[in-house]
Structures are given as structure tokens and as C-alpha cells.
Amino acid sequence: LWTLCNINSSLSVMISLVYWIALYNPERHFLDFENFSGHLLIAAACLVDVFISDRPWRMIHAIHAIIFGGVFGIFSFFYFLAGGTNYYFEPFVYHIIDWAHPLRTLLVIGGVTVFLVIFHSFFFLLYRMRLVCSKQYKVRKEMARDGSRKQGEEKSEALLDNYQTRGELEC
């Protein structure tokens, strides 16, 4: 399951950027919930997830998104060879991955691979920031607990002294 989280996190940011920069066309696409949820909301949820989950991140896990991207690249090639079309009956899944232009397509796949590693590194950095924040919170919580314990002990001693001086308590 953590493999899917690694793939989804890096890929969702990649999909959001590629879609809104290179694929979105206002003449062909509507600005509706489907567009926002599939091309923006998922990336935002993944960013929030880094801070609210306790899942560790490792740099080596960038390989998961790279493998997934490679599998998708191979799929799109065979889809092209089989005569597959997109929603608009064009002979490619996305125009930036059009195997009729193999050099451009390979450069796009190579660039996406590099950016998947960069995005995974970004999530790793967020994870490290979460660890620092968590450690600071625990230290402050411990200091506050120790401080209140000392204050409680001081109050107890003061009350005990007060009772002893008034003669209400004999020890």
C-alpha cells in the first residue's frame, strides 16, 4: 500500500502541473469539479497527507513512481501501435506523448522521469520538516509538563508549609 502512496504523491503533482501547463485547453475542457478533483485536489491532498500521516519517506522509494511512469510509457507505445485513440479520436493518449513523434515523446518521458524524482525529493523534504516540527512539539510538551510538575511540587510544598505554620497539619 505504501508503494501506491509513493506513486500517487509524486505522480499527482506531476499530473497537476503537466495538465494545467501543457494539456488544458479551455476550448476542449470545462472548469468543473472533475477537472479540479482529478488534476489539482489530489495533489493538494497528498501534500496535506505528508503532515498528518506518520508514514516514513525514503529517497530510494522514488523508484516506485519511475517504474510506474515507465510502464505507462510502454503502455502508451503499444496503445499507439494497436491504433488506440483518445477521447477526441486522435491517435494518442495525450498530445505530448504522441509516438508518431518518437524523439519528442522519449524526451517528454525522460523529463517526466527527472521531475518525478524531484517531486519525490520535495515530499521527502516535507517529511523531514514534519519530523523536525514533531520533535520540537514533543520537546516543548515535555518541558511544559516538567515545568507544570515543578510548579505543582512548589505549590504543594507551599501549602504544606502554610498548614504546618498554622498548626493544622502535624507531620
Side-chain angles (χ1 to χ4, degrees):
L1 190 58
W2 55 268
T3 301
L4 295 176
C5 289
N6 290 329
I7 292 168
N8 183 52
S9 295
S10 301
L11 208 56
S12 66
V13 173
M14 186 83 226
I15 288 170
S16 293
L17 290 175
V18 168
Y19 180 77
W20 293 108
I21 293 170
L23 298 176
Y24 175 72
N25 180 351
E27 296 171 3
R28 294 177 97 172
H29 305 106
F30 298 108
L31 286 178
D32 56 5
F33 181 74
E34 182 180 350
N35 241 343
F36 282 109
S37 66
H39 302 113
L40 189 62
L41 191 59
I42 295 171
C46 288
L47 290 170
V48 170
D49 181 62
V50 172
F51 290 102
I52 62 174
S53 72
D54 197 26
R55 187 177 65 252
W57 283 78
R58 304 289 181 262
M59 281 304 298
I60 191 70
H61 294 165
I63 194 73
H64 301 147
I66 292 169
I67 291 170
F68 181 85
V71 169
F72 181 78
I74 293 168
F75 160 77
S76 71
F77 178 69
F78 285 111
Y79 190 76
F80 171 77
L81 291 178
T85 62
N86 64 14
Y87 184 77
Y88 300 102
F89 303 104
E90 298 165 327
F92 44 78
V93 179
Y94 300 108
H95 70 82
I96 61 173
I97 306 177
D98 181 0
W99 285 99
H101 307 283
L103 180 61
R104 184 186 72 184
T105 299
L106 289 172
L107 288 173
V108 167
I109 290 172
V112 165
T113 301
V114 169
F115 276 98
L116 285 174
V117 173
I118 291 169
F119 294 139
H120 188 84
S121 301
F122 173 69
F123 278 100
F124 180 76
L125 179 64
L126 292 178
Y127 159 72
R128 298 296 294 177
M129 287 173 44
R130 181 190 81 202
L131 291 179
V132 169
C133 291
S134 176
K135 186 176 180 179
Q136 288 290 335
Y137 172 75
K138 287 177 183 177
V139 166
R140 288 183 180 178
K141 185 177 176 183
E142 186 68 29
M143 287 174 51
R145 190 174 58 105
D146 288 347
S148 64
R149 183 183 301 151
K150 286 181 182 176
Q151 288 176 352
E153 290 172 1
E154 290 170 1
K155 286 180 183 177
S156 295
E157 288 178 17
L159 283 173
L160 183 61
D161 289 341
N162 188 17
Y163 285 130
Q164 285 178 342
T165 55
R166 292 191 339 213
E168 296 178 15
L169 183 64
E170 303 256 344
C171 290

